[in-house]
Amino acid sequence: LFLALGEYVADVTLPQGTCVCGYAKGTFHSAEEGDKSVMYSFNGPDNLVFYNKQLMPLREAIVSAVSEAQPPAAGEAVDLQDTLLGHTVLVLGPDQVEIVPEENFTARYFVPDDVPFDDLGIISFGMYANDLAWMGPATTSEAYAERSASHNVLQLVWRMAWDTDRGCLVPTWPVVALGQDLRLCNKEPMEVGIQYGWRYWDALVKQGKSAGGIVS
């Protein structure tokens, strides 16, 4: 994926959280398919998500969604139990929340739809985004994390919505957003990277496979 300034723009700074583009349309499955699948899994309340067209920590999205759907009585705390699909929400204190993926949850992987050749167009045509942090099989998880923080400016963020029938927050599809502020002053296209995750690369190395890109 490459970015460049428009013809009449001299300099611009895009803030963290700016939505750069959407991801391919798709559906959720119990297993990954190909190298474009995205795992739906959160490891903490501070993971960023899009909710009501705003970027916010997952915890804020849950509280906001539950408060709107099930307003608590005056003086009562918002009940966060069973409010995030596929995860257990543990309230450990007034401002302490833990998010744990449920082991028996299926439909954990978002798999992009195949686009028929006849339907290719400006809406369905995609662009690969490379991970600029991976340096080969000898890359350690620590070295990968450090390099990714300085070389990858994009991240996949889940767009969330409240499901009235299930009574919880559910994922709709991932989008590609800026993981940090980005200043652009280039007229020529500049490549920007996205973090695939060290586990992704480690799994490919163990399988003896080469890696593909993430398509946006």
Side-chain angles (χ1 to χ4, degrees):
L1 185 62
F2 292 78
L3 299 178
L5 289 172
E7 182 178 358
Y8 301 106
V9 180
D11 187 298
V12 66
T13 298
L14 302 175
Q16 178 188 25
T18 298
C19 186
V20 177
C21 57
Y23 198 74
K25 297 292 186 179
T27 52
F28 289 88
H29 297 255
S30 59
E32 58 184 326
E33 298 178 17
D35 60 358
K36 311 300 184 299
S37 302
V38 180
M39 178 184 284
Y40 163 64
S41 180
F42 296 111
N43 57 16
D46 295 323
N47 291 157
L48 295 177
V49 298
F50 274 105
Y51 178 69
N52 279 347
K53 299 181 180 180
Q54 295 184 349
L55 185 72
M56 63 183 70
L58 177 60
R59 169 172 37 196
E60 290 185 18
I62 296 174
V63 172
S64 177
V66 175
S67 299
E68 294 169 3
Q70 305 167 0
E76 291 186 359
V78 178
D79 185 5
L80 302 182
Q81 191 171 12
D82 300 324
T83 54
L84 180 62
L85 183 66
H87 297 75
T88 299
V89 181
L90 303 174
V91 180
L92 306 178
D95 294 312
Q96 292 181 302
V97 177
E98 185 175 345
I99 308 292
V100 181
E102 297 174 353
E103 293 185 3
N104 61 348
F105 176 71
T106 58
R108 180 73 69 182
Y109 296 92
F110 179 87
V111 179
D113 296 334
D114 290 329
V115 179
F117 184 80
D118 292 340
D119 293 339
L120 289 178
I122 189 63
I123 300 300
S124 58
F125 191 77
M127 173 71 74
Y128 281 97
N130 291 311
D131 186 338
L132 304 181
W134 182 251
M135 298 299 290
T139 306
T140 64
S141 59
E142 293 78 10
Y144 173 83
E146 182 178 350
R147 183 173 172 83
S148 183
S150 61
H151 285 68
N152 291 324
V153 299
L154 302 175
Q155 65 181 71
L156 285 173
V157 179
W158 283 103
R159 191 183 295 273
M160 308 295 291
W162 182 261
D163 188 314
T164 304
D165 295 333
R166 293 175 174 177
C168 65
L169 206 60
V170 302
T172 55
W173 67 313
V175 296
V176 179
L178 290 179
Q180 55 186 274
D181 293 349
L182 176 65
R183 181 189 178 194
L184 294 174
C185 53
N186 56 298
K187 292 295 184 179
E188 295 298 322
M190 174 185 68
E191 184 174 14
V192 288
I194 191 169
Q195 177 175 299
Y196 292 11
W198 185 81
R199 288 187 299 177
Y200 167 88
W201 293 108
D202 185 55
L204 286 182
V205 170
K206 291 177 179 177
Q207 296 171 16
K209 296 180 179 180
S210 59
I214 283 185
V215 65
S216 56

